Amino acid sequence: MNIQPLLDALGIQEDTARALADDLRTRIGELQARLREAEIHLEHLAITRKTVTALTDRLPAASPDLPEHPDYPHILAVFNEATRTLRARDVCEALDHELLPKNIEGTRAKLKRLVKLDILTEADTGSFTKKQ
């Protein structure tokens, strides 16, 4: 009986299995490198969280009554320096906004909101002052 064809077939299967094993070893190496990178990134994120959490005690607390839009602190600063009642146009000028109707109306809406929040008062129609 000639077993050479059987040995040849086994050789082909061994070569295929060896190639697969080599490929898997390469992929495992790549995955281990990616895993190390991910673990380092997680470690950095944990350090960042710890730092941010430690710093929150040092940050000044934002006024809970003040809306979060960035214009509101600037509007209040304008009113803190004001010596008279202000109109929406005056506030726009102080904030260096273009004096376009949309900007004036947007500022007027913000001033009305501050009135509703009991931070400003509307002395006359359209004239605002800081509440004492």
Side-chain angles (χ1 to χ4, degrees), residues 107-124:
T107 300
R108 181 174 290 112
K110 289 179 180 85
L111 297 176
K112 294 275 189 179
R113 184 162 184 201
L114 290 173
V115 168
K116 286 183 181 178
L117 293 172
D118 210 30
I119 296 172
L120 297 181
T121 58
E122 192 168 7
D124 294 320

Side-chain angles (χ1 to χ4, degrees), residues 9-98:
L10 284 172
I12 292 171
Q13 287 184 4
E14 284 176 339
D15 291 343
T16 304
R18 192 173 291 110
L20 177 61
D22 289 343
D23 182 52
L24 290 174
R25 280 188 204 97
T26 302
R27 290 176 56 194
I28 287 172
E30 292 169 356
L31 289 173
Q32 285 175 335
R34 288 179 57 194
L35 177 60
R36 278 192 298 275
E37 290 174 11
E39 287 172 340
I40 289 170
H41 185 64
L42 280 171
E43 190 175 311
H44 290 170
L45 290 173
I47 291 168
T48 301
R49 177 181 296 280
K50 185 177 179 180
T51 303
V52 168
T53 303
L55 290 175
T56 56
D57 295 337
R58 297 181 189 173
L59 295 175
S63 174
D65 301 327
L66 198 60
E68 291 187 26
H69 191 279
D71 278 350
Y72 286 102
H74 300 295
I75 290 171
L76 289 182
V78 169
F79 277 95
N80 287 335
E81 296 177 14
T83 58
R84 60 180 175 82
T85 61
L86 299 174
R87 301 183 70 75
R89 182 182 186 91
D90 302 325
V91 175
C92 279
E93 286 178 12
L95 297 176
D96 292 328
H97 291 186
E98 288 185 73

